[in-house]
Amino acid sequence: MADTTNTAHFNRARSAAENPVKRFFRATEIDTRLLGMVGAMLIIWIGFNFLSGGLFLTPRNLWNLSVQTASVAVMATGMVLVIVTRNIDLSVGSILGFVGMIMGVLQAELLPQLLGFNHPATWIITLLAGLSLGAAIGALHGMIIAFLNVPSFIVTLGGLLVWRGATWFVTSGRTVAPMDATFRLMGGGTEGSIGATASWIVGLLACVAIVASIVHSRKQRKRFGFPRRPVWAEYFLSGIGCALVLGAVAVANSYPWPANIARKYAEANGIAWPEGGLFIAHGIAVPVLIAILIGIVMTFIATRLRFGRYVFAIGGNPEAAELAGIKTRWVTVRIFALMGMLCAVAAAISTARLNAATNAQGELDELYTIAAAVIGGTSLAGGMGTIAGAMLGALVMQSLQSGMVLVGIDSPLQRIVVGVVLVTAVWLDTVYRARAK
């Protein structure tokens, strides 16, 4: 009891000695690295908005930015686990292209001959086939790495070349189109979004989930005797989280359908066309919902399941993890199989958005995926990384690319900027880890 009292007095004394900023961050437990990344992203947004004459921070561009980020964000969640275990996967872009081409051929050429065009089962069979193929390719890479002891850099570099070449051989280089109507919903667009009402419902449910999560975390800390955040900090985090969610929904609902599509919709449904035009909100895009759902699932896997604990244990000290009884080789196989499945999901989003499967699909996506994970705080030395950080990193990378396109910067210079950003992110990670020690 005396020790507890002394500790409490010590904590109060330390709090009094700290400056207000340090007390605030310690009380709220906000990750300063993520906060710094949010600040950098806001600077990027404001800068490109100024350079583009106010075109960047518009509902239309922000909505398109979220859709464009979805596929890389999905793969970045898996890349976190790969890098945490001190591996790397250079083949994700090629796997995306190959699986996307297979899914394109299935729904555009093979399944219509068996089931007919736009059969209700076409998109389901296509997606399941893509997920199975992606998992099989990832597992193959993982087995070579784990059981043949070939470095992941070499295995996945070979995969980058093999699967990119295989993509060409599937159709001899031609583009496959169009995709199944239901499958196309995963790509966004006017039909691939859920509308204003459903978006507000999703936003309110997300707010309830945020508050419930904070309340549950507080109860668990009290139950096991862990330090709890001040009540004001809990209210602050709940308020900020809900404000961000509802703000994002408001932006998505501010982007209307194009006038021609809205007019056709009005004619088809017997709606009188008003003088000022018909405003129909896009709402949240389906690929964004898919990316968010996968982010939640991957966070649960990484932080709540035994598999996730094994991943971080291997990244922290592979030898100690093996001596502790962890089957490190099979964990590696599962990580790469999971990475392959996420590549298949990204392939479905990309193919649906383009309404076609092309040979150039997924090129350089491995660069953006690795950069997103590293910028998001995943250490190349292993043992450290977050799913939320990687997804935020994907948004930062896509913001750079989208902003440069909007301003009119040439493609070669875009690659130079991305390369410089990646090197800078790795350098900052090295500095951060050195200071942490």
Side-chain angles (χ1 to χ4, degrees):
M1 183 67 181
D3 291 340
T4 303
T5 304
N6 291 335
T7 302
H9 285 309
F10 174 76
N11 288 335
R12 283 195 292 270
R14 186 180 67 176
S15 298
E18 289 177 341
N19 63 57
V21 176
K22 287 185 177 180
R23 285 204 304 271
F24 172 79
F25 283 116
R26 190 170 59 82
T28 56
E29 299 178 0
I30 295 176
D31 189 341
T32 53
R33 295 188 71 182
L34 288 181
L35 188 63
M37 190 164 32
V38 171
M41 185 178 70
L42 291 177
I43 292 173
I44 291 171
W45 285 11
I46 294 171
F48 279 126
N49 191 61
F50 174 77
L51 294 174
S52 63
L55 295 177
F56 191 90
L57 292 177
T58 59
R60 175 182 180 180
N61 188 65
L62 293 177
W63 191 90
N64 287 326
L65 178 64
S66 68
V67 174
Q68 293 162 0
T69 304
S71 61
V72 172
V74 167
M75 292 191 292
T77 63
M79 189 62 72
V80 170
L81 302 187
V82 172
I83 297 177
V84 160
T85 54
R86 306 184 185 186
N87 289 300
I88 200 72
D89 194 339
L90 302 176
S91 64
V92 292
S94 296
I95 295 175
L96 184 155
F98 179 67
V99 174
M101 183 61 75
I102 294 296
M103 289 194 293
V105 170
L106 272 176
Q107 61 189 301
E109 297 181 359
L110 299 181
L111 290 178
Q113 297 179 7
L114 300 174
L115 305 176
F117 287 98
N118 290 327
H119 190 278
T122 297
W123 76 274
I124 299 176
I125 296 173
T126 300
L127 188 58
L128 290 177
L131 292 172
S132 301
L133 179 60
I137 293 173
L140 175 62
H141 291 177
M143 292 184 73
I144 296 173
I145 294 165
F147 292 99
L148 299 183
N149 296 320
V150 182
S152 59
F153 181 89
I154 299 301
V155 173
T156 57
L157 178 60
L160 181 151
L161 300 172
V162 168
W163 304 117
R164 182 60 61 188
T167 303
W168 190 90
F169 277 109
V170 172
T171 59
S172 298
R174 61 186 174 85
T175 297
V176 178
M179 301 295 103
D180 177 75
T182 306
F183 185 86
R184 287 200 302 269
L185 299 179
M186 289 187 286
T190 53
E191 295 181 352
S193 51
I194 63 175
T197 303
S199 296
W200 284 120
I201 292 174
V202 170
L204 292 174
L205 290 175
C207 290
V208 172
I210 290 171
V211 174
S213 174
I214 290 175
V215 171
H216 176 72
S217 175
R218 187 172 181 84
K219 288 181 178 179
Q220 289 295 97
R221 290 185 178 203
K222 181 179 179 180
R223 177 185 175 188
F224 293 104
F226 292 147
R228 285 170 286 170
R229 288 186 291 251
V231 175
W232 68 263
E234 307 282 20
Y235 281 113
F236 174 80
L237 293 174
S238 300
I240 288 295
C242 293
L244 290 174
V245 169
L246 296 179
V249 173
V251 171
N253 287 341
S254 299
Y255 177 38
W257 285 12
N260 292 336
I261 297 178
R263 186 182 292 275
K264 290 180 181 178
Y265 176 83
E267 293 174 354
N269 291 273
I271 301 174
W273 186 257
E275 184 177 348
L278 188 63
F279 185 96
I280 303 177
H282 277 81
I284 303 173
V286 171
V288 176
L289 290 177
I290 293 173
I292 293 172
L293 179 61
I294 286 179
I296 294 171
V297 172
M298 290 296 292
T299 300
F300 180 80
I301 291 173
T303 59
R304 300 294 181 184
L305 295 186
R306 184 183 301 173
F307 172 74
R309 292 195 293 271
Y310 286 172
V311 168
F312 282 88
I314 293 171
N317 193 325
E319 293 78 13
E322 193 161 4
L323 291 173
I326 299 175
K327 297 179 180 178
T328 56
R329 292 183 175 182
W330 283 110
V331 172
T332 300
V333 173
R334 290 168 188 163
I335 290 170
F336 278 90
L338 180 60
M339 184 74 251
M341 290 184 68
L342 293 173
C343 290
V345 174
I349 293 173
S350 176
T351 305
R353 183 163 64 91
L354 295 173
N355 192 25
T358 68
N359 285 277
Q361 203 170 338
E363 283 189 355
L364 293 181
D365 273 10
E366 54 277 343
L367 169 63
Y368 293 108
T369 303
I370 295 171
V374 174
I375 290 173
T378 305
S379 175
L380 290 172
M384 185 170 64
T386 62
I387 303 299
M391 298 187 75
L392 187 57
L395 183 57
V396 170
M397 293 299 300
Q398 189 58 50
S399 297
L400 275 173
Q401 187 178 15
S402 177
M404 288 187 290
V405 170
L406 200 61
V407 173
I409 296 176
D410 293 335
S411 181
L413 186 56
Q414 292 180 30
R415 297 186 181 186
I416 292 173
V417 172
V418 172
V420 170
V421 169
L422 177 58
V423 173
T424 304
V426 175
W427 172 70
L428 291 175
D429 173 67
T430 304
V431 172
Y432 179 85
R433 285 188 293 106
R435 289 184 176 181
K437 290 180 180 179

